């Protein structure tokens, strides 16, 4: 399984946030967390909570867990 954060990037764009690095001070996350998001790596629930709080949304609004097998079909 892998995490797809494309919803997050779309949400930021819809909010007028053009540079991903603007999420760091907005949500109070580190540059390491932003790098993990960009790679589609797992991040902690605490980090997801900070992002959701800053963007006034739920986890399902910013990421999706995909089953790798479904991508092959």
């Amino acid at each position: 399984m892998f995490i797809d954060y494309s919803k997050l990037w779309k949400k930021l764009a819809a909010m007028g946030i053009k540079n991903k690095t603007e999420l760091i001070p907005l949500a109070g996350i580190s540059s390491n967390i932003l790098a993990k998001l960009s790679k589609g790596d797992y991040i902690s629930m605490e980090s997801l909570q900070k992002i959701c709080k800053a963007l006034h949304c739920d986890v399902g609004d910013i990421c999706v867990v995909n089953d790798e097998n479904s991508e092959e079909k």
Side-chain angles (χ1 to χ4, degrees):
M1 291 198 297
F2 67 96
I3 305 294
D4 179 4
Y5 294 107
S6 60
K7 286 178 144 184
L8 171 60
W9 311 130
K10 290 175 186 174
K11 184 159 187 64
L12 291 176
M15 295 175 67
I17 298 173
K18 297 176 183 175
N19 192 332
K20 292 178 183 180
T21 58
E22 293 180 47
L23 185 60
I24 294 171
L26 181 67
I29 60 172
S30 70
S31 57
N32 290 338
I33 296 299
L34 183 62
K36 287 183 175 191
L37 288 167
S38 296
K39 293 181 205 172
D41 290 345
Y42 291 101
I43 63 170
S44 71
M45 286 301 294
E46 180 182 1
S47 296
L48 285 171
Q49 181 182 9
K50 288 179 181 181
I51 294 167
C52 289
K53 184 175 180 181
L55 301 181
H56 308 289
C57 65
D58 291 326
V59 174
D61 296 330
I62 62 171
C63 66
V64 176
V65 178
N66 287 320
D67 184 2
E68 290 176 332
N69 293 330
S70 66
E71 289 292 314
E72 295 172 3
K73 292 179 183 177

